[in-house]
Amino acid sequence: MATTGFKLFRVLGIPIHVHYTWFIVFSLVVYTLAVNYFPFMGPYYSPPVIWVMSVIAAIILFSSILLHELAHSYVAQREGIQINRITLFVFGGIASMVGETKSPKGELKIAAAGPALSFLLAGVFWIIAIIFRRGMATSPVLAISYFLASTNTLIAIFNLIPGFPLDGGRILRAIIWKRTGNLNKATLVSSRIGKAFAMFLIVMGLWNLTQGQFISGLWSIFIGMFLQQVAGEGYKQTVLHNTLASVRVGDIMVSPVILIHDENMTIEMAVNDYFFRYRYNSFPVVSDSILLGTISLHDIKNVDKEKWPHITVKEIMSTNPSEFTISPERSAVEALDKMVEDNRGRLVVVERGNIIGIVSQRDIMQVLKLKTDLGKN
Ligand SMILES: [Zn+2]
Protein backbone atom coordinates (compact mmCIF):
# COMPACT_ATOMS: atom_id res chain seq x y z
CA MET A 1 0.00 0.00 0.00
CA ALA A 2 1.34 3.44 -0.87
CA THR A 3 2.39 5.79 1.90
CA THR A 4 -0.15 8.50 2.46
CA GLY A 5 2.01 11.57 3.13
CA PHE A 6 0.60 14.24 5.41
CA LYS A 7 -2.71 16.07 5.57
CA LEU A 8 -3.16 19.62 4.26
CA PHE A 9 -6.90 20.43 4.54
CA ARG A 10 -10.36 19.06 3.72
CA VAL A 11 -12.61 19.64 0.69
CA LEU A 12 -16.08 17.98 0.25
CA GLY A 13 -15.26 16.31 3.58
CA ILE A 14 -12.23 14.60 2.03
CA PRO A 15 -8.78 15.01 3.62
CA ILE A 16 -6.23 16.23 1.08
CA HIS A 17 -2.81 14.64 1.62
CA VAL A 18 0.51 15.58 0.11
CA HIS A 19 2.93 12.79 -0.70
CA TYR A 20 6.54 13.61 0.24
CA THR A 21 7.61 13.26 -3.41
CA TRP A 22 5.34 16.22 -4.11
CA PHE A 23 7.87 18.70 -2.71
CA ILE A 24 10.59 17.41 -5.02
CA VAL A 25 8.19 17.59 -7.94
CA PHE A 26 6.95 21.05 -6.97
CA SER A 27 10.51 22.39 -6.78
CA LEU A 28 11.38 20.71 -10.06
CA VAL A 29 8.36 22.30 -11.76
CA VAL A 30 9.21 25.77 -10.40
CA TYR A 31 12.84 25.35 -11.46
CA THR A 32 11.95 24.09 -14.94
CA LEU A 33 9.52 26.99 -15.45
CA ALA A 34 12.00 29.62 -14.24
CA VAL A 35 14.97 28.30 -16.21
CA ASN A 36 13.52 26.66 -19.30
CA TYR A 37 10.10 28.14 -19.89
CA PHE A 38 9.22 31.70 -18.85
CA PRO A 39 12.52 33.32 -19.97
CA PHE A 40 11.56 32.30 -23.51
CA MET A 41 7.98 33.57 -23.30
CA GLY A 42 8.79 37.29 -23.06
CA PRO A 43 12.11 39.05 -23.17
CA TYR A 44 11.16 41.67 -20.59
CA TYR A 45 10.88 39.69 -17.38
CA SER A 46 13.50 40.32 -14.72
CA PRO A 47 14.72 37.24 -12.75
CA PRO A 48 12.63 38.06 -9.61
CA VAL A 49 9.49 38.40 -11.80
CA ILE A 50 10.29 35.08 -13.47
CA TRP A 51 10.61 33.27 -10.14
CA VAL A 52 7.37 34.75 -8.80
CA MET A 53 5.59 33.78 -12.05
CA SER A 54 7.00 30.26 -11.78
CA VAL A 55 5.81 29.78 -8.20
CA ILE A 56 2.33 31.16 -9.00
CA ALA A 57 2.04 29.00 -12.14
CA ALA A 58 3.14 25.90 -10.21
CA ILE A 59 0.64 26.54 -7.40
CA ILE A 60 -2.24 26.96 -9.89
CA LEU A 61 -1.04 23.88 -11.79
CA PHE A 62 -1.19 21.75 -8.65
CA SER A 63 -4.58 23.26 -7.75
CA SER A 64 -5.79 22.21 -11.22
CA ILE A 65 -4.60 18.68 -10.48
CA LEU A 66 -6.44 18.78 -7.17
CA LEU A 67 -9.62 19.97 -8.93
CA HIS A 68 -9.26 17.09 -11.41
CA GLU A 69 -9.20 14.63 -8.47
CA LEU A 70 -12.09 16.41 -6.76
CA ALA A 71 -14.15 16.00 -9.95
CA HIS A 72 -13.58 12.21 -9.75
CA SER A 73 -14.38 12.26 -6.03
CA TYR A 74 -17.54 14.31 -6.41
CA VAL A 75 -18.99 11.91 -8.98
CA ALA A 76 -17.79 8.92 -6.93
CA GLN A 77 -19.55 10.22 -3.83
CA ARG A 78 -22.74 10.61 -5.86
CA GLU A 79 -22.30 6.97 -6.95
CA GLY A 80 -22.25 6.02 -3.28
CA ILE A 81 -18.50 5.48 -2.93
CA GLN A 82 -16.71 6.84 0.10
CA ILE A 83 -13.44 8.71 -0.53
CA ASN A 84 -10.85 8.21 2.23
CA ARG A 85 -8.39 10.81 1.04
CA ILE A 86 -6.83 12.45 -1.99
CA THR A 87 -3.04 12.29 -2.27
CA LEU A 88 -1.24 14.69 -4.58
CA PHE A 89 1.46 13.07 -6.68
CA VAL A 90 3.35 13.80 -9.86
CA PHE A 91 1.01 14.26 -12.82
CA GLY A 92 -2.11 13.96 -10.82
CA GLY A 93 -3.36 12.85 -7.54
CA ILE A 94 -4.83 9.63 -6.33
CA ALA A 95 -8.27 9.47 -4.79
CA SER A 96 -8.40 6.50 -2.41
CA MET A 97 -11.87 5.04 -2.60
CA VAL A 98 -13.44 2.59 -0.23
CA GLY A 99 -14.71 -0.35 -2.25
CA GLU A 100 -15.17 -0.57 -5.97
CA THR A 101 -17.85 0.82 -8.23
CA LYS A 102 -20.87 -1.43 -8.38
CA SER A 103 -21.45 -1.03 -12.12
CA PRO A 104 -19.41 -0.38 -15.29
CA LYS A 105 -21.57 2.69 -15.96
CA GLY A 106 -20.68 4.25 -12.59
CA GLU A 107 -17.00 3.49 -13.15
CA LEU A 108 -17.15 5.16 -16.55
CA LYS A 109 -18.74 8.32 -15.13
CA ILE A 110 -16.20 8.58 -12.31
CA ALA A 111 -13.25 8.02 -14.68
CA ALA A 112 -14.44 10.52 -17.27
CA ALA A 113 -15.13 13.33 -14.76
CA GLY A 114 -11.43 14.15 -14.18
CA PRO A 115 -10.30 14.62 -17.80
CA ALA A 116 -13.56 16.49 -18.51
CA LEU A 117 -12.73 18.98 -15.75
CA SER A 118 -9.11 19.34 -16.98
CA PHE A 119 -10.39 20.16 -20.48
CA LEU A 120 -12.79 22.68 -18.95
CA LEU A 121 -9.93 24.37 -17.02
CA ALA A 122 -7.84 24.44 -20.20
CA GLY A 123 -10.72 26.25 -21.92
CA VAL A 124 -11.01 28.80 -19.10
CA PHE A 125 -7.25 29.56 -19.24
CA TRP A 126 -7.43 29.88 -23.03
CA ILE A 127 -10.15 32.49 -22.67
CA ILE A 128 -8.07 34.41 -20.09
CA ALA A 129 -5.06 34.21 -22.43
CA ILE A 130 -7.12 35.57 -25.33
CA ILE A 131 -8.42 38.46 -23.20
CA PHE A 132 -4.90 39.44 -22.12
CA ARG A 133 -3.43 39.06 -25.57
CA ARG A 134 -4.77 42.46 -26.62
CA GLY A 135 -1.86 44.29 -24.94
CA MET A 136 1.32 44.80 -26.90
CA ALA A 137 3.88 43.04 -24.75
CA THR A 138 3.56 39.50 -23.48
CA SER A 139 2.19 40.14 -19.99
CA PRO A 140 2.93 37.72 -17.13
CA VAL A 141 -0.80 36.90 -16.89
CA LEU A 142 -0.85 35.89 -20.56
CA ALA A 143 2.28 33.76 -20.17
CA ILE A 144 0.91 32.00 -17.08
CA SER A 145 -2.56 31.41 -18.60
CA TYR A 146 -1.02 30.08 -21.78
CA PHE A 147 1.10 27.68 -19.74
CA LEU A 148 -1.92 26.54 -17.69
CA ALA A 149 -4.11 26.08 -20.78
CA SER A 150 -1.49 23.82 -22.35
CA THR A 151 -0.69 21.84 -19.19
CA ASN A 152 -4.35 21.21 -18.37
CA THR A 153 -4.85 19.94 -21.93
CA LEU A 154 -1.80 17.69 -21.47
CA ILE A 155 -3.10 16.43 -18.11
CA ALA A 156 -6.43 15.52 -19.71
CA ILE A 157 -4.76 13.75 -22.65
CA PHE A 158 -2.15 12.01 -20.47
CA ASN A 159 -4.85 10.69 -18.16
CA LEU A 160 -6.88 9.42 -21.10
CA ILE A 161 -4.10 6.96 -22.07
CA PRO A 162 -5.88 3.59 -21.83
CA GLY A 163 -3.66 1.99 -19.15
CA PHE A 164 -5.02 1.26 -15.68
CA PRO A 165 -4.98 3.00 -13.20
CA LEU A 166 -5.02 6.11 -15.39
CA ASP A 167 -8.50 7.44 -16.19
CA GLY A 168 -8.32 6.12 -19.76
CA GLY A 169 -7.46 2.69 -18.32
CA ARG A 170 -10.46 2.90 -16.01
CA ILE A 171 -12.68 3.78 -18.97
CA LEU A 172 -11.25 0.81 -20.90
CA ARG A 173 -11.76 -1.39 -17.84
CA ALA A 174 -15.39 -0.30 -17.58
CA ILE A 175 -15.93 -1.22 -21.24
CA ILE A 176 -14.30 -4.68 -20.89
CA TRP A 177 -16.15 -5.20 -17.62
CA LYS A 178 -19.46 -4.37 -19.31
CA ARG A 179 -18.70 -6.84 -22.15
CA THR A 180 -17.30 -9.75 -20.10
CA GLY A 181 -19.00 -9.20 -16.76
CA ASN A 182 -15.65 -10.01 -15.09
CA LEU A 183 -14.09 -7.13 -13.13
CA ASN A 184 -10.86 -8.97 -12.22
CA LYS A 185 -10.21 -9.87 -15.84
CA ALA A 186 -11.02 -6.34 -17.05
CA THR A 187 -8.60 -4.94 -14.47
CA LEU A 188 -5.88 -7.41 -15.48
CA VAL A 189 -6.10 -6.48 -19.17
CA SER A 190 -6.12 -2.74 -18.55
CA SER A 191 -3.27 -2.86 -16.01
CA ARG A 192 -1.15 -4.82 -18.51
CA ILE A 193 -1.68 -2.04 -21.03
CA GLY A 194 -0.80 0.43 -18.24
CA LYS A 195 2.46 -1.42 -17.53
CA ALA A 196 3.34 -1.60 -21.22
CA PHE A 197 2.82 2.14 -21.50
CA ALA A 198 4.98 2.70 -18.40
CA MET A 199 7.78 0.63 -19.99
CA PHE A 200 7.46 2.70 -23.15
CA LEU A 201 7.88 5.92 -21.10
CA ILE A 202 10.96 4.55 -19.33
CA VAL A 203 12.60 3.43 -22.61
CA MET A 204 11.75 6.79 -24.21
CA GLY A 205 13.26 8.59 -21.20
CA LEU A 206 16.48 6.55 -21.46
CA TRP A 207 16.64 7.35 -25.16
CA ASN A 208 16.24 11.08 -24.37
CA LEU A 209 19.08 10.84 -21.86
CA THR A 210 21.43 9.41 -24.50
CA GLN A 211 20.46 12.36 -26.72
CA GLY A 212 21.46 14.83 -23.99
CA GLN A 213 17.86 15.82 -23.13
CA PHE A 214 18.20 15.36 -19.39
CA ILE A 215 15.13 17.10 -17.99
CA SER A 216 12.58 15.53 -20.37
CA GLY A 217 14.38 12.19 -20.08
CA LEU A 218 14.24 12.17 -16.30
CA TRP A 219 10.56 13.24 -16.33
CA SER A 220 9.70 10.33 -18.62
CA ILE A 221 11.59 7.80 -16.51
CA PHE A 222 10.11 9.17 -13.31
CA ILE A 223 6.50 9.05 -14.54
CA GLY A 224 7.08 5.64 -16.15
CA MET A 225 8.36 4.14 -12.90
CA PHE A 226 5.49 5.66 -10.98
CA LEU A 227 2.93 4.21 -13.41
CA GLN A 228 4.64 0.83 -13.36
CA GLN A 229 4.22 0.69 -9.61
CA VAL A 230 0.62 1.91 -9.40
CA ALA A 231 -0.52 -0.36 -12.25
CA GLY A 232 0.59 -3.40 -10.25
CA GLU A 233 -0.78 -2.11 -6.96
CA GLY A 234 -4.09 -1.11 -8.52
CA TYR A 235 -4.58 -4.61 -9.89
CA LYS A 236 -3.71 -6.33 -6.62
CA GLN A 237 -6.01 -4.04 -4.72
CA THR A 238 -8.92 -4.64 -7.07
CA VAL A 239 -8.55 -8.41 -6.80
CA LEU A 240 -8.19 -8.12 -3.04
CA HIS A 241 -11.31 -5.98 -2.67
CA ASN A 242 -13.28 -8.02 -5.12
CA THR A 243 -12.34 -11.31 -3.46
CA LEU A 244 -12.91 -10.13 0.11
CA ALA A 245 -16.05 -8.06 -0.43
CA SER A 246 -18.29 -11.08 0.11
CA VAL A 247 -16.49 -12.30 3.24
CA ARG A 248 -17.98 -11.23 6.58
CA VAL A 249 -15.82 -10.51 9.62
CA GLY A 250 -18.01 -12.95 11.57
CA ASP A 251 -17.03 -15.78 9.19
CA ILE A 252 -13.27 -15.45 9.61
CA MET A 253 -12.87 -14.18 13.17
CA VAL A 254 -11.09 -16.33 15.73
CA SER A 255 -12.55 -17.19 19.12
CA PRO A 256 -12.28 -17.63 22.05
CA VAL A 257 -10.24 -14.49 22.59
CA ILE A 258 -7.38 -14.31 25.07
CA LEU A 259 -8.25 -11.39 27.33
CA ILE A 260 -6.34 -9.45 29.96
CA HIS A 261 -8.70 -9.45 32.95
CA ASP A 262 -6.79 -7.07 35.20
CA GLU A 263 -6.31 -3.53 33.96
CA ASN A 264 -4.04 -2.80 36.96
CA MET A 265 -1.52 -5.43 35.86
CA THR A 266 1.98 -4.00 35.27
CA ILE A 267 3.35 -3.80 31.76
CA GLU A 268 6.11 -6.19 32.77
CA MET A 269 3.57 -8.86 33.70
CA ALA A 270 1.56 -8.25 30.54
CA VAL A 271 4.69 -8.70 28.42
CA ASN A 272 5.74 -11.92 30.16
CA ASP A 273 2.34 -13.54 30.69
CA TYR A 274 0.61 -12.46 27.49
CA PHE A 275 2.81 -11.05 24.72
CA PHE A 276 5.62 -13.65 25.11
CA ARG A 277 3.31 -16.49 25.94
CA TYR A 278 0.66 -16.07 23.22
CA ARG A 279 2.71 -14.01 20.72
CA TYR A 280 -0.09 -11.74 19.49
CA ASN A 281 0.58 -8.06 18.87
CA SER A 282 -2.39 -6.83 20.93
CA PHE A 283 -4.84 -7.97 23.64
CA PRO A 284 -8.26 -6.68 24.66
CA VAL A 285 -8.45 -5.56 28.31
CA VAL A 286 -11.69 -6.35 30.18
CA SER A 287 -13.18 -5.91 33.59
CA ASP A 288 -16.17 -8.16 34.46
CA SER A 289 -16.49 -8.94 30.73
CA ILE A 290 -16.79 -5.22 29.88
CA LEU A 291 -14.31 -4.11 27.22
CA LEU A 292 -12.11 -1.32 28.62
CA GLY A 293 -9.56 -1.03 25.84
CA THR A 294 -6.76 -2.80 24.03
CA ILE A 295 -3.05 -2.85 24.68
CA SER A 296 -0.64 -3.38 21.79
CA LEU A 297 3.08 -3.93 21.32
CA HIS A 298 3.12 -0.47 19.81
CA ASP A 299 1.76 1.07 23.07
CA ILE A 300 4.39 -0.82 25.06
CA LYS A 301 7.31 0.15 22.81
CA ASN A 302 6.60 3.80 23.64
CA VAL A 303 7.41 3.15 27.33
CA ASP A 304 11.02 2.86 28.59
CA LYS A 305 11.87 -0.67 29.68
CA GLU A 306 12.93 0.44 33.19
CA LYS A 307 9.40 1.73 33.80
CA TRP A 308 7.67 -1.54 32.87
CA PRO A 309 7.42 -2.79 36.49
CA HIS A 310 5.83 0.51 37.62
CA ILE A 311 3.31 1.38 34.92
CA THR A 312 -0.02 -0.42 34.59
CA VAL A 313 -1.83 -1.60 31.50
CA LYS A 314 -4.65 0.87 32.23
CA GLU A 315 -2.27 3.82 31.92
CA ILE A 316 -1.18 3.16 28.37
CA MET A 317 -3.99 1.14 26.71
CA SER A 318 -6.15 2.60 23.89
CA THR A 319 -9.60 3.34 25.23
CA ASN A 320 -11.55 4.58 22.21
CA PRO A 321 -13.59 1.51 21.12
CA SER A 322 -14.38 2.92 17.65
CA GLU A 323 -10.68 2.56 16.85
CA PHE A 324 -10.23 -1.11 17.70
CA THR A 325 -13.64 -2.79 17.44
CA ILE A 326 -15.69 -3.96 14.47
CA SER A 327 -19.09 -5.58 14.06
CA PRO A 328 -19.26 -9.19 12.75
CA GLU A 329 -21.60 -8.01 9.99
CA ARG A 330 -18.96 -5.82 8.33
CA SER A 331 -16.98 -7.16 5.35
CA ALA A 332 -13.38 -8.33 5.54
CA VAL A 333 -12.44 -5.48 3.17
CA GLU A 334 -13.74 -2.90 5.65
CA ALA A 335 -11.84 -4.58 8.47
CA LEU A 336 -8.64 -4.62 6.41
CA ASP A 337 -9.02 -0.97 5.34
CA LYS A 338 -9.54 0.02 8.95
CA MET A 339 -6.48 -1.90 10.14
CA VAL A 340 -4.25 -0.53 7.38
CA GLU A 341 -5.51 3.01 7.91
CA ASP A 342 -4.82 2.98 11.67
CA ASN A 343 -1.79 0.66 11.45
CA ARG A 344 -3.37 -2.00 13.68
CA GLY A 345 -2.74 -5.73 13.51
CA ARG A 346 -6.03 -6.91 15.09
CA LEU A 347 -9.58 -5.72 15.72
CA VAL A 348 -11.90 -6.92 18.47
CA VAL A 349 -15.19 -8.22 17.09
CA VAL A 350 -18.06 -6.91 19.22
CA GLU A 351 -21.76 -7.74 18.93
CA ARG A 352 -24.30 -5.98 21.16
CA GLY A 353 -21.54 -5.03 23.60
CA ASN A 354 -20.13 -8.58 23.89
CA ILE A 355 -16.68 -9.61 22.70
CA ILE A 356 -17.29 -12.54 20.34
CA GLY A 357 -13.94 -12.84 18.56
CA ILE A 358 -10.89 -11.19 17.09
CA VAL A 359 -9.85 -10.63 13.49
CA SER A 360 -6.29 -9.97 12.29
CA GLN A 361 -4.60 -8.84 9.08
CA ARG A 362 -2.93 -12.25 9.00
CA ASP A 363 -6.33 -14.05 9.09
CA ILE A 364 -7.64 -11.91 6.25
CA MET A 365 -4.53 -12.51 4.14
CA GLN A 366 -4.83 -16.26 4.73
CA VAL A 367 -8.46 -16.22 3.59
CA LEU A 368 -7.43 -14.23 0.53
CA LYS A 369 -4.67 -16.73 -0.29
CA LEU A 370 -7.03 -19.69 0.16
CA LYS A 371 -9.67 -18.10 -2.02
CA THR A 372 -7.26 -17.20 -4.81
CA ASP A 373 -5.56 -20.62 -4.62
CA LEU A 374 -8.92 -22.34 -4.95
CA GLY A 375 -9.96 -19.92 -7.70
CA LYS A 376 -13.12 -19.13 -5.85
CA ASN A 377 -14.18 -15.51 -6.22
ZN1 LIG B 1 -7.99 11.44 -13.25
Side-chain angles (χ1 to χ4, degrees), residues 30-31 77 87 128 141 176 185-187 239 249-250 260 269 292 315 318:
V30 171
Y31 178 83
Q77 282 180 337
T87 309
I128 297 175
V141 179
I176 303 175
K185 195 180 154 195
T187 311
V239 172
V249 166
I260 294 182
M269 275 175 73
L292 300 175
E315 289 169 80
S318 319

Side-chain angles (χ1 to χ4, degrees), residues 15-77:
I16 311 297
H17 286 240
V18 167
H19 194 255
Y20 63 91
T21 55
W22 185 87
F23 289 100
I24 304 166
V25 173
F26 186 82
S27 317
L28 199 60
V29 167
V30 171
Y31 178 83
T32 310
L33 285 176
V35 174
N36 281 326
Y37 187 80
F38 285 130
F40 304 101
M41 292 297 285
Y44 319 107
Y45 311 136
S46 62
V49 170
I50 285 181
W51 283 101
V52 171
M53 284 168 72
S54 304
V55 171
I56 293 174
I59 291 174
I60 305 178
L61 172 63
F62 282 99
S63 311
S64 305
I65 292 169
L66 178 59
L67 284 173
H68 173 114
E69 287 314 310
L70 283 170
H72 287 305
S73 307
Y74 176 72
V75 178
Q77 282 180 337

Side-chain angles (χ1 to χ4, degrees), residues 115-262:
L117 193 99
S118 293
F119 276 129
L120 184 76
L121 285 172
V124 170
F125 288 116
W126 266 118
I127 292 168
I128 297 175
I130 288 166
I131 293 170
F132 277 84
R133 211 195 209 136
R134 285 181 295 181
M136 291 285 284
T138 314
S139 70
V141 179
L142 171 59
I144 293 173
S145 329
Y146 177 75
F147 164 75
L148 292 168
S150 2
T151 40
N152 273 298
T153 309
L154 276 178
I155 289 168
I157 293 172
F158 176 79
N159 276 292
L160 282 173
I161 289 162
F164 187 81
L166 291 173
D167 301 335
R170 288 185 182 273
I171 292 170
L172 177 69
R173 178 171 84 151
I175 295 166
I176 303 175
W177 182 12
K178 171 103 184 146
R179 292 220 170 143
T180 62
N182 186 334
L183 178 59
N184 282 358
K185 195 180 154 195
T187 311
L188 182 65
V189 172
S190 49
S191 15
R192 277 190 185 151
I193 297 174
K195 281 190 173 176
F197 175 67
M199 272 318 288
F200 167 74
L201 280 180
I202 294 170
V203 170
M204 203 177 75
L206 290 171
W207 169 252
N208 283 350
L209 286 186
T210 64
Q211 301 299 302
Q213 293 162 310
F214 284 103
I215 293 190
S216 60
L218 286 177
W219 269 118
S220 264
I221 294 172
F222 193 32
I223 297 169
M225 285 169 68
F226 170 72
L227 278 183
Q228 186 81 33
Q229 188 204 339
V230 288
E233 263 176 28
Y235 174 63
K236 271 186 240 154
Q237 214 161 24
T238 303
V239 172
L240 184 135
H241 275 244
N242 209 14
T243 311
L244 291 179
S246 56
V247 179
R248 276 178 354 117
V249 166
D251 298 331
I252 54 168
M253 68 183 189
V254 181
S255 58
V257 185
I258 293 158
L259 304 163
I260 294 182
H261 286 277
D262 178 10

